Amino acid sequence: MNIKSKIKEFKIKIKQLDYRHYIAAAITIAFAMMTIFIFPNAFVRIGEALRDLWYSLCYYIKELFYLDWNISVSVNAYSKVPWTPIFGLPATWEEFIVKWHEYWQVFADWSNVQSYFSYLGDLLYYISRVLLLVVVPLVLILYLLFNRYLSKENNDYDQDSKALILAKKIATKTYIPVKDWITGFVAFIQEHRIYTKIWLFIWAFNFNLITIVVEFVAYYLYFCVSFDFANMYRQLYKLLCDLSVPIAFIPTIGWIILGYLFINWLRRKIGYSRLEHFENQNCGFINERPIVMMLCGTMGKKKTTIITDIALSQEVMLREKAFELLFENDMKFPYFPWINLENDLKDAMDKHIIFNLATIKTFIQDKRQVWENTPTKDNIYNYDFERYGVVYDDKLKINYIWDIIETYSKLYFVYIIQSSLIISNYSIRTDNQFMSLGNFPLWDTDFFQRDSRTIDENSRYAHILDFDSLRLGKKIIEDNIKKDSFEFGVLNITEVGKERKNNLSLQEMKIKDALANQKNDGFNDTLKMIRHSATIDNFPFIKIITDEQRPESWGADARDLLEIVTIDETLPKKLAMPFFALTELLYGFVFGKFTNLYYKYRFKRSDNTLPMYLLKKLVAMFNHFYNGIYNTFGYCWVTTQVENGTMDGKILERKYYIMFKKIYSRRFSTDCFSDFFTQKALQSTIGIDDLEEYGTDKATFDELKKQNSYFINDLTRKQDEFDKKKID
Amino acid sequence: MKKNTLVNIFKVVVGLFVIVVIGYFIYTTTKV
């Protein structure tokens, strides 16, 4: 290719380049120019810092190896740049001591307090003047406009006023394109992260942040061999001198914005850490409970919410436990090439040779047989057994390599199953993220920082519970393909009493019945024995979580196996994120006023006017922000009473936290059986509006008869009998 | 007035007080 064609190709590339690259490049050049013309001293300081670093490094090596080098350390020298440090910090420690005493004298001086309050007064006067000049007239205008609008009534459905039409036209030409362009440019910059990195580097350089880091390393190297405490103050002085550049350059409004961003970052961080803390407390609550538990409470007490929440946490805990045990077993034979075993297992899973714990057992036993017949490295996943051995003594027993391989394989199977570990009689959404680069996979099990827009992409749903898989005796479908499928996992059964019923409701049922019923299906035996199928490395990978309105609804034979958690009280919602009180107050005030005004307006008018359009837009923005915060950081807790299923033991008081982001993020449907009632209602030809009403405040005899009530029917029958006797 | 509102007012007042106190510390540095 000749030079001409190369130039031509380059020109075409330039032409095809997104024009926003030029803007980003221009911004970069402008920032670089600012470095040269506004922050030239940053070059001097970085030069000094690098010099300090070099001498400190030499000094460090010299002291470390007792070398005979003649080095004069420069990190304690003052900078040549004549900057004044922030807070007017004096240059030497001696001066600082004098100033320190002086500071506290002035601090305690009443005239200083007065002068401070006079300064604050001036500031408040200035702020209130701005408010008076800008905000008050605006509010007055809006008030007058709304008064005018509310004095007129109309039925102009969805008609825009002339002012609103004009405003929309202007916005279409000005505000919307500008907003779209800025949004697009921000997305462009986020996509091309190189610009952000360059800009951050330039401004870190301009504000001496790079210098500060270099100086810190220089002083650290010097200090850790010299222990020179005397010159520590000088470093503080130099630090405050360097920081004086951003302090002086960034205007007050910039500091206010930066302060807000910092507080916002801080409060969100605190909020997330509090939610994590509550989640850990919930895990403690779940771990305290036995394998089977039943949650009880009256309607609307959040029973299903809590059992779903428990199932989500338990699923994560099962995977974490598998991970922990995998590591423990890995350490028993540290030189075993586990990756070869893992790849073999994955391959067998893909081919459906392995699909449960039992098939793993036979799979590994076959491999073991082959190795025992022909003990080569190839037959034991390339493990050098002659060099590293095949037994491990844990001081309790001797562990044989193939037993550990079998345990590891079962744990790995539990760990890498990508579908949900929850099996339930209603749907539950999980969104744990499986991360794999083809090596050992990791799970992202976070509940609180998920992007709600990506729910559909990353969700898995609970497996459908086939009750036949929990029946050791008769089954609804005797040759059910899924009847032996259940081994381990989190089993969630809502309204368990309606499924299993109690002894009273089952009086008519007989064990000898030909068809499966609650007495002959061996469900309770499954509950009693279920941990045996789910135990790996002495840990049961099983939890059965049920709910019902009252414990007695489930028969005593099953109930005696479990713990009953009764929901006592649900406390009001709270916010895990701090520093939100001012916004909360403002929201309460604004939203209360707006709701009144809005429904007065909706009552009187149906058209769209400019002030209402703007006001609603602003209030909606505020409302979305407020709801977003509460949906992310909101929580409440329920107080519970825990007792044995025999209901004769000690009652424990426990707390359980409900975090909104975790449980209300489309996790389950509170009306999980509503489809049944929808089908029932669809068969009806009349609705509430078609139902007859009582004629007066006292029901007539005919009206009472229309109730089809046992009670009224009894009364009517008695009346009829009485009338008959009277006639006779 | 709701209890929650009173708690929020208290929090805002405490926050303002803290800002005023920090402000006084910084203000005094300008007088030394």
Side-chain angles (χ1 to χ4, degrees), chain A residues 128-312:
Chain A
S128 55
R129 226 171 51 160
V130 173
L131 284 175
L132 276 171
L133 285 172
V134 181
V135 181
V136 174
L138 211 72
V139 172
L140 268 174
I141 291 168
L142 275 176
Y143 179 77
L144 289 172
L145 274 174
F146 276 113
N147 260 354
R148 198 164 70 86
Y149 286 132
L150 291 174
S151 64
K152 291 176 190 165
E153 294 157 19
N154 70 37
N155 297 115
D156 302 339
Y157 302 131
D158 194 30
Q159 276 187 21
D160 291 353
S161 68
K162 279 179 189 167
L164 181 58
I165 292 168
L166 184 69
K168 277 184 178 175
K169 269 186 188 166
I170 293 170
T172 312
K173 301 272 182 203
T174 54
Y175 167 70
I176 292 172
V178 169
K179 187 188 140 199
D180 287 349
W181 190 87
I182 291 172
T183 315
F185 189 68
V186 170
F188 171 82
I189 294 296
Q190 280 171 346
E191 197 184 326
H192 300 88
R193 299 199 74 85
I194 184 73
Y195 291 118
T196 332
K197 283 177 187 168
I198 293 172
W199 296 346
L200 278 175
F201 177 80
I202 292 174
W203 284 100
F205 179 77
N206 290 350
F207 289 157
N208 299 322
L209 301 183
I210 298 171
T211 302
I212 289 167
V213 173
V214 176
E215 285 281 17
F216 173 79
V217 177
Y219 187 70
Y220 176 78
L221 288 172
Y222 164 73
F223 182 80
C224 64
V225 285
S226 69
F227 292 99
D228 181 5
F229 286 96
N231 279 312
M232 211 175 246
Y233 176 79
R234 197 164 292 181
Q235 299 308 315
L236 179 71
Y237 177 81
K238 283 170 76 177
L239 172 70
L240 294 187
C241 281
D242 287 337
L243 284 177
S244 68
V245 176
I247 299 277
F249 182 78
I250 298 172
T252 312
I253 186 74
W255 281 113
I256 292 170
I257 293 168
L258 281 177
Y260 173 76
L261 291 176
F262 174 72
I263 287 174
N264 199 33
W265 169 82
L266 184 71
R267 67 184 182 175
R268 290 180 82 88
K269 201 173 156 60
I270 295 171
Y272 283 126
S273 80
R274 276 188 189 169
L275 292 177
E276 292 292 346
H277 175 69
F278 298 149
E279 176 59 18
N280 288 340
Q281 289 201 320
N282 281 355
C283 289
F285 171 90
I286 298 164
N287 284 333
E288 263 186 355
R289 308 280 76 76
I291 287 177
V292 191
M293 62 186 280
M294 175 159 69
L295 211 82
C296 293
T298 49
M299 282 172 284
K301 276 270 175 90
K302 298 185 191 292
K303 291 188 299 294
T304 313
T305 306
I306 296 173
I307 64 164
T308 310
D309 198 280
I310 291 174
L312 291 168

Side-chain angles (χ1 to χ4, degrees), chain A residues 378-429:
Chain A
D378 282 348
N379 286 340
I380 190 166
Y381 298 103
N382 206 31
Y383 176 54
D384 194 347
F385 56 91
E386 284 171 343
R387 182 172 181 166
Y388 299 115
V390 289
V391 290
Y392 160 69
D393 178 12
D394 64 4
K395 307 301 171 200
L396 294 171
K397 60 187 181 307
I398 298 296
N399 296 275
Y400 185 47
I401 181 83
W402 281 103
D403 294 330
I404 301 302
I405 290 174
E406 188 185 312
T407 307
Y408 190 95
S409 304
K410 286 178 177 174
L411 291 167
Y412 188 72
F413 179 73
V414 172
Y415 182 71
I416 66 158
I417 291 174
Q418 289 177 49
S419 64
S420 173
L421 293 181
I422 304 171
I423 303 164
S424 64
N425 66 342
Y426 65 102
S427 180
I428 299 172
R429 187 183 71 80

Side-chain angles (χ1 to χ4, degrees), chain A residues 87-88 99-100 102-104 106-109 112-113 115-117 119-120 573 580-582 584-585 630, chain B residues 1 4-12 16 19-32:
Chain A
F87 306 126
K99 287 275 183 187
W100 179 250
E102 201 182 319
Y103 177 86
W104 289 110
V106 177
F107 188 87
D109 187 5
N112 187 52
V113 178
S115 125
Y116 175 61
F117 277 103
Y119 167 77
L120 272 187
K573 69 175 179 183
F580 199 63
L582 186 61
E584 192 114 41
L585 277 179
Y630 258 93
Chain B
M1 205 180 276
N4 224 6
T5 313
L6 285 173
V7 171
N8 283 331
I9 290 171
F10 176 73
K11 282 180 185 173
V12 171
L16 284 174
I19 290 169
V20 168
V21 170
I22 293 170
Y24 184 63
F25 274 94
I26 296 168
Y27 177 81
T28 309
T29 61
T30 63
K31 301 291 166 189
V32 180

